[in-house]
Amino acid sequence: KKERTILVWGGSAAIGLAAISYASNSGYRVFATSSPANFELVKSFGAEKVFDHRDEDVVKKIQEAGKVDAVYDAVAYEDTVKKSAQVLAPHGGQVIATLPHDTTKLGLAENIKFGVSYTRNVFVVNEGELAKW
């Protein structure tokens, strides 16, 4: 049973698809965001649920779908980092983005950790598991 969930923001981007595949094949439950035109593509790489990143209520809909333990933000714009953190805010977690940000300007909740991974480093495999966040 998949007990931990990772959200991949920007699931239809090349790095997003790779992240979905790594996480899914490592036993994680995967949620993702993309444009509706790419929902089936994103699901074919292993995402269980896919959400429209343009939907005004996307954060709420993701939260209602289940607890997310960590977010890999393949887009890494300021607004996507903020939304990623909002998904985690009720219980805390870690946002890993593909670009650095000055987190003091983002207003992240205290229970949110922020990290940067320029490549697949967030998915370093150790005995078949993703790196601990």
Side-chain angles (χ1 to χ4, degrees):
K1 181 182 177 192
K2 297 180 178 184
E3 296 180 15
R4 297 193 68 198
T5 302
I6 184 169
L7 168 66
V8 178
W9 200 284
S12 61
I15 191 68
L17 291 171
I20 291 166
S21 181
Y22 282 128
S24 178
N25 288 318
S26 296
Y28 287 77
R29 181 178 184 208
V30 181
F31 293 169
T33 66
S34 79
S35 298
N38 293 316
F39 278 13
E40 291 308 312
L41 171 67
V42 172
K43 286 180 181 178
S44 76
F45 275 75
E48 180 180 312
K49 297 186 181 189
V50 186
F51 303 88
D52 182 352
H53 67 96
R54 293 186 192 116
D55 186 327
E56 290 179 14
D57 295 320
V58 67
V59 169
K60 180 181 176 186
K61 288 179 179 178
I62 294 167
Q63 289 172 330
E64 289 173 350
K67 180 180 180 262
V68 174
D69 298 294
V71 180
Y72 183 73
D73 186 348
V75 178
Y77 291 148
E78 185 174 308
D79 67 317
T80 64
V81 171
K82 285 180 181 178
K83 288 178 183 176
S84 295
Q86 289 169 0
V87 167
L88 299 172
H91 54 271
Q94 184 166 10
V95 175
I96 302 293
T98 55
L99 294 172
H101 287 276
D102 180 352
T103 57
T104 62
K105 295 180 181 179
L106 295 177
L108 304 182
E110 289 183 24
N111 62 350
I112 305 299
K113 298 176 189 171
F114 179 80
V116 178
S117 174
Y118 295 101
T119 61
R120 69 164 194 79
N121 293 343
V122 70
F123 299 103
V124 174
V125 177
N126 181 13
E127 297 179 24
E129 292 187 23
L130 294 181
K132 305 294 184 227
W133 12 70

